[in-house]
Amino acid sequence: MRLPSFLLAATLALSACADAAPTGHVTPDRARVFALPDGQFEVAPPQGAVRSAFWCGAADYARRALGAGWGQDIYVARGLGEGVAVNRKSTVHFTLTPVASERGDSWPKRTNAYRVGDRLSVQQADHQCTTAFTRF
């Protein structure tokens, strides 16, 4: 009866590892979004996703998890950087709370630069979603 004891121990060890890995909100495009304690949220698209996937994930989370309307603005709270809630090199922090722009309003807005204070409405961010997920 040594085998069942080993299987039980392995199952318990694997379930402990699974519980330790944060899952967060998963979007239809498989981005993972994690709520942060300060009202911000961290978006981590799948590896190899296009850069607009950050806005796409933010839009989905704002609508589904936070109940934001299509006209609600989403702000970049921290640009592209290492994850806080997930072990990833490329995440972006967003918030629904207005954030002062680090470059002023006179500069042209680029949707994939992710500078603090950049903003898109939920609807504009949703339009950044790739065609990998067909919307009806």
Side-chain angles (χ1 to χ4, degrees), residues 62 103 113 120-121:
R103 62 179 171 184
L120 292 177
S121 69

Coordinates of all heavy atoms in Angstrom, one line a residue, residues 62 103 113 120-121:
A62 N -12.7 46.2 -16.2 CA -13.5 47.3 -15.8 C -15.0 47.1 -16.0 O -15.8 47.4 -15.1 CB -13.1 48.6 -16.6
R103 N 3.3 63.5 -19.0 CA 3.8 64.2 -20.1 C 2.9 65.4 -20.6 O 3.2 66.0 -21.5 CB 4.0 63.3 -21.3 CG 2.8 62.6 -21.7 CD 3.1 61.7 -22.9 NE 1.8 61.0 -23.2 CZ 1.8 60.1 -24.1 NH1 2.8 59.7 -24.8 NH2 0.6 59.4 -24.3
A113 N 1.8 53.0 -25.6 CA 3.0 53.6 -24.9 C 2.9 53.3 -23.4 O 3.9 53.1 -22.8 CB 3.1 55.1 -25.2
L120 N -8.0 55.9 -21.8 CA -9.0 55.6 -22.9 C -10.3 55.3 -22.2 O -10.3 54.8 -21.0 CB -8.6 54.3 -23.7 CG -7.3 54.4 -24.6 CD1 -7.1 53.0 -25.2 CD2 -7.5 55.4 -25.7
S121 N -11.4 55.5 -22.9 CA -12.7 55.1 -22.3 C -12.7 53.6 -22.4 O -12.0 52.9 -23.1 CB -13.8 55.7 -23.1 OG -13.9 55.1 -24.4

